[in-house]
Amino acid sequence: MTSPDSSTILPDGAVLRAARPGDEDGILALIHALAVYEREPDAVENTAEALAASLFGAEPRVFAHVVERQGEIVGIAIWFVTYSTWTGRHGIWLEDLYVDEARRGSGYGKALMRALAAVCVARDYSRFEWTVLDWNAPSIAFYRSIGAEPQDEWTTQRLSGAALAELAHG
């Protein structure tokens, strides 16, 4: 990629590019497919309208890159900007990376990761981070193959639902 926001034609003719209005249904379909893959088929509450507001609203705080092949979104990388108090610089948090099961092995996942790495380098970000489920051996192997290192000493914590509301309201 010549610029982090430019489009790239992949070897099979697919296009890797930043998401744009009109991509919401395709992105949402892959979010649903990811939920099924991660054994949480009923967990998705997101909608095309919510994606449009989040990705393309007045002040977007989440971003996406897509792989489009023959008019269909077949790969997504959804991400947002983080900040490291230790480095004093921003980074990227990859929320979701997913390639349609029928398109795996085409290099789309690596192309999406390369595009986000290019964003980091171009913007002088210090980190590119994400989580992966412990049982997801194919993804773990893929991440190791591109040079990612596990941060085993860290455990992700989460507040949601009633616990989040209880803490907020005291």
Side-chain angles (χ1 to χ4, degrees):
M1 286 190 129
T2 55
S3 149
D5 299 316
S6 67
S7 295
T8 299
I9 307 296
L10 300 176
D12 67 354
V15 177
L16 188 157
R17 59 175 173 75
R20 59 184 180 225
D23 290 340
E24 299 88 353
D25 288 335
I27 292 169
L28 187 59
L30 291 185
I31 291 170
H32 280 283
L34 174 61
V36 170
Y37 178 80
E38 290 186 349
R39 305 173 185 165
E40 295 279 347
D42 299 320
V44 177
E45 298 176 16
N46 209 344
T47 64
E49 294 77 19
L51 277 172
S54 295
L55 291 168
F56 312 118
E59 294 184 40
R61 292 186 182 95
V62 64
F63 309 93
H65 280 69
V66 301
V67 173
E68 181 180 5
R69 188 163 195 289
Q70 298 175 336
E72 179 185 3
I73 304 294
V74 296
I76 57 171
I78 300 174
W79 58 278
F80 55 89
V81 176
T82 62
Y83 180 76
S84 168
T85 57
W86 290 17
T87 67
R89 293 164 43 210
H90 290 288
I92 284 179
W93 183 269
L94 175 62
E95 181 64 20
D96 287 329
L97 175 72
Y98 189 78
V99 173
D100 179 78
E101 191 171 354
R103 305 289 183 197
R104 292 191 192 140
S106 300
Y108 298 164
K110 188 171 186 178
L112 286 161
M113 295 296 280
R114 182 177 288 123
L116 297 189
V119 171
C120 285
V121 170
R123 297 180 185 175
D124 196 32
Y125 291 173
S126 62
R127 296 178 178 169
F128 178 16
E129 299 174 301
W130 60 92
T131 58
V132 61
L133 291 164
D134 292 337
W135 58 260
N136 194 346
S139 293
I140 292 168
F142 167 67
Y143 296 140
R144 295 299 166 274
S145 78
I146 62 171
E149 298 176 358
Q151 302 294 298
D152 293 332
E153 67 275 13
W154 294 91
T155 302
T156 302
Q157 304 294 306
R158 176 180 295 162
L159 272 174
S160 62
L164 178 62
E166 184 177 329
L167 181 61
H169 298 298

